[in-house]
Amino acid sequence: PLLSTDWGLPSIANSIIGATRTCTYVQEQSVVDPREKTFELKSTNISFTNLVSVDEKLTYKPHPQDPEKTVLTQEALITVKGISLSSYLEGLMAKTISVNASKGREAMEWVIRRLNTEIEELAATARGTMRAPMAAAAADK
């Protein structure tokens, strides 16, 4: 999918790179491996590529010792091109990615909690649906 995001860089960083807008477009690819129980998310910016490239990869997999836990590995390669203070800008972008990673983790945890609630509700409904015919059959005897 194609996504848009605001990098949220400080105004001084926008001045350095000469950007009047901070919205950028990102191409994202998700891969789910049900056998290995992994989820991999790769993204790369497709705007401002003449100034900066950001390639990010997130991998979710089961914890090796505790199957009730998930391990998240995040990698990001940030390259600022042809601009003075490029290491400063790369550091700013790395900090922004790190802050956003915690927001992403919170969002994934919310989705998981929501799915678990829906599964529990479906199971309870299914149990109730199965009990009614059995109770009726027992009453007929």
Side-chain angles (χ1 to χ4, degrees), residues 42-124:
K42 293 180 182 180
S43 62
T44 188
N45 64 300
I46 57 174
S47 53
F48 297 119
T49 55
N50 60 323
L51 300 173
V52 63
S53 67
V54 179
D55 295 303
E56 188 174 12
K57 177 180 168 185
L58 287 85
T59 306
Y60 296 84
K61 63 183 178 181
H63 189 282
Q65 284 83 37
D66 186 351
E68 294 297 312
K69 293 182 180 179
T70 301
V71 176
L72 166 61
T73 305
Q74 180 180 19
E75 304 168 50
L77 178 61
I78 304 164
T79 307
V80 176
K81 307 168 189 173
I83 299 172
S84 60
L85 301 173
S86 62
S87 61
Y88 167 74
L89 291 173
E90 289 170 355
L92 280 176
M93 294 186 78
K95 183 178 178 184
T96 301
I97 288 171
S98 179
V99 167
N100 288 341
S102 66
K103 293 177 187 175
R105 181 180 47 81
E106 291 170 8
M108 286 296 275
E109 289 174 355
W110 180 86
V111 168
I112 291 167
R113 282 192 306 272
R114 181 74 185 156
L115 287 172
N116 284 337
T117 299
E118 289 183 17
I119 289 168
E120 289 171 11
E121 290 171 358
L122 284 170

Side-chain angles (χ1 to χ4, degrees), residues 6-27:
D6 186 338
W7 278 344
L9 295 175
S11 58
I12 189 166
N14 290 330
S15 298
I16 292 170
I17 63 173
T20 56
R21 62 183 177 93
T22 57
C23 179
T24 185
Y25 292 97
V26 177
Q27 182 178 10

